[in-house]
Amino acid sequence: MTSDYDLVVVGGGPAGSTAATAVALRGHRVLLLERETFPRYQIGESLLPATVHGLCRILGVADEVAAAGFTLKRGGTLRWGRDPEPWQFSFAMTPRLPEPTATAFQVERSRFDEILLRNAERVGVEVREGSPVRRVLTEDGRVRGVEYTAPDGTARTARARFVIDASGNTSRLHGQVGGARVYSDFFRNLAVFGYYAGGRRLPEPNSGNIFCAAFDAGWLWYIPLRDDLTSVGAVIAPEHYAAVQRDPRAAWQDMIKACPEVDRLLTDVPVATEAPYDRVRVRKDYSYWKNSLWTPGMALVGDAACFVDPVLSSGVHLATYGALLAARAVNSALDGSLCEDRGFAEFEARYRREYGVFYEFLISFYDMERNERSYFWSAKKVTRVNLDEAAAFAELAGGVASGDRAVVGSGSLGAQWSAGAAELEGAVQRLTAGQDRTNPLLSTRVVSETFRTGNDLQEQALYGGPLDDPAPAGGLKATEDGLSWLAP
């Protein structure tokens, strides 16, 4: 009952499918083990252009995703900051990317994830659903495979040169790489979310935008998935957990009523009754990162590795980008062009940098909301980031966050974050005034750094490589197909 592979991937979501597909495309033998049977429900429905036009094109699935009929997303609409009126931002932020690629989609994850998983099968990945992994196999200080339970209940063993854990935030395997999960105190929030059978749409051309609205208790997302389906979620302080636990549906609807901008979009609209959208769900304490992301023979990607507050729709991007980085390291090690240590050092440095720039952006973005009456928002100020978290972030960044400038210690971060928040707020004020010839958000460091990797990924898919050299001194470049590292 033992089989041998080049790579075993645990988890069939976007991160797992990405890693498996990218390695199988190089002709390697890959096994993907998924505990559930697809299609299955998942949250994280609002995508960024880097996933749609970068990652999906590299994996060879862009045309199928485009033909699936998902809601087109041109950017975001926000009731956030000093301006009492909602304002818009567009993904059309760089002239180097053609207009059709300056868009994304709002997706039903059950459909989107299955498209990625079936694509993995088509390119040669052996996919086994209903097969939970029981434990990781180690030998001589190296991960050598996994034990799992087959759908018929029998215990089986899959040995492999590499294992990638993409089993999500409930991963039972992430401890194998060492280190601990570091939970963010600043983003220690609670999400309660559900669905309506329709809802009013924003005026064209922004009808497909995600709408995020700040209110006293936190903020709400409003995502148009179909004409007859809207995802609505409240991100609130953990102090509300007792009320949410008593009656999640009542607490969810109370939060919607407390936010007039969203409530008016749902007047006389019934809640969804079709499964799996008929439930109200809760997730808490979901912003975290791992101190260690890999060990010899094994790497963590997706929510098994990290997650950060969802206001910028970064979840699927961080998950799939990290998976692609891990796949590059695996491919380079398997073909002998690069040693394992070098490839996975690049994986970890770039993955940490990407998490770091989103984390820094979100601190600046939260600081923009000036609702001084609110307990939630008064706690979400740069000045309220505790020193322990700043020190932990400085260790996470390791000198590669914030445009690859060295982070000298937690003390300097407060001033850096405050400056970024002020710069972002000024740019948003100019954006709402509409007087700039170019998008003023482009001029801010936090925005340009946050979207830099996504732009590079799209250029990799479109042109065979970024138009600017993204590799830091001593860093590696990706091959033209984006699937492995070029040997230095």
Side-chain angles (χ1 to χ4, degrees), residues 60-70 111 114-116 118-119 122:
V61 75
D63 290 343
E64 186 176 355
V65 171
F70 296 126
R111 296 173 55 213
E114 186 165 30
I115 288 172
L116 295 187
R118 302 308 166 211
N119 180 62
R122 283 196 299 272

Side-chain angles (χ1 to χ4, degrees), residues 7 142 161-164 293-301 322-323 325-334 338-352 476 485:
L7 171 67
R142 181 181 180 84
R161 291 182 62 182
F162 294 97
V163 172
I164 290 178
L293 295 179
W294 75 282
T295 193
M298 180 176 174
L300 306 177
V301 299
L325 293 175
R328 288 175 181 174
V330 169
N331 282 334
S332 299
L334 289 175
L338 201 68
C339 69
E340 177 183 353
D341 288 357
R342 183 67 184 90
F344 279 102
E346 190 80 11
F347 150 78
E348 180 150 349
R350 293 196 184 215
Y351 204 0
R352 288 185 181 279
L476 301 174
W485 298 119

Side-chain angles (χ1 to χ4, degrees), residues 408-420:
V408 295
S410 60
S412 65
L413 285 173
Q416 178 175 300
W417 288 339
S418 293

Side-chain angles (χ1 to χ4, degrees), residues 36-323:
E36 299 186 50
T37 301
F38 279 42
R40 57 90 179 94
Y41 172 82
Q42 186 58 271
I43 193 62
E45 299 141 330
S46 196
L47 303 185
L48 294 178
T51 301
V52 174
H53 302 290
L55 188 283
C56 287
R57 190 164 299 280
I58 289 171
L59 299 182
V61 75
D63 290 343
E64 186 176 355
V65 171
F70 296 126
T71 298
L72 185 69
K73 172 186 174 183
R74 299 184 184 277
T77 300
L78 303 105
R79 210 312 300 153
W80 201 287
R82 294 183 184 275
D83 195 329
E85 296 300 320
W87 50 275
Q88 277 80 228
F89 73 87
S90 169
F91 289 135
M93 298 179 69
T94 170
R96 298 191 315 203
L97 296 174
E99 179 65 26
T101 66
T103 57
F105 292 117
Q106 317 283 19
V107 300
E108 293 177 78
R109 284 286 303 277
S110 58
R111 296 173 55 213
F112 177 75
D113 291 9
E114 186 165 30
I115 288 172
L116 295 187
L117 186 66
R118 302 308 166 211
N119 180 62
E121 285 183 311
R122 283 196 299 272
V123 303
V125 176
E126 187 177 333
V127 174
R128 297 185 185 176
E129 298 170 75
S131 300
V133 172
R134 300 166 59 183
R135 70 183 185 96
V136 170
L137 304 175
T138 60
E139 183 180 315
D140 299 327
R142 181 181 180 84
V143 172
R144 303 286 184 177
V146 300
E147 285 185 0
Y148 68 99
T149 303
D152 62 4
T154 59
R156 298 192 179 184
T157 299
R159 298 183 63 84
R161 291 182 62 182
F162 294 97
V163 172
I164 290 178
D165 178 16
S167 57
N169 67 303
T170 60
S171 168
R172 299 169 59 186
L173 309 178
H174 70 84
Q176 187 66 47
V177 304
R181 272 188 180 174
V182 179
Y183 285 87
S184 167
D185 185 63
F186 186 82
F187 293 115
R188 189 171 62 93
N189 296 330
L190 169 73
V192 53
F193 50 95
Y195 298 83
Y196 278 78
R200 292 163 183 79
R201 299 299 180 238
L202 300 173
E204 294 293 352
N206 301 312
S207 62
N209 279 12
I210 183 173
F211 180 41
C212 296
F215 69 115
D216 285 354
W219 63 272
L220 284 168
W221 76 68
Y222 185 95
I223 302 173
L225 294 175
R226 304 188 312 241
D227 288 345
D228 61 347
L229 187 66
T230 303
S231 172
V232 186
V235 176
I236 52 182
E239 285 74 15
H240 295 280
Y241 185 62
V244 171
Q245 193 174 36
R246 278 195 306 273
D247 191 337
R249 185 173 294 274
W252 173 59
Q253 293 187 317
D254 285 345
M255 294 299 168
I256 293 170
K257 289 184 177 68
C259 182
E261 293 87 354
V262 171
D263 188 44
R264 70 172 61 104
L265 296 173
L266 295 168
T267 302
D268 298 326
V269 179
V271 295
T273 56
E274 64 170 296
Y277 303 116
D278 54 342
R279 290 178 50 195
V280 174
R281 295 173 169 86
V282 179
R283 188 171 172 186
K284 64 188 184 80
D285 294 341
Y286 51 71
S287 292
Y288 56 84
W289 63 83
K290 279 280 292 186
N291 281 333
S292 299
L293 295 179
W294 75 282
T295 193
M298 180 176 174
L300 306 177
V301 299
D303 288 2
C306 58
F307 187 81
V308 71
D309 188 276
V311 70
L312 199 60
S313 306
S314 59
V316 174
H317 165 66
L318 284 171
T320 54
Y321 176 65

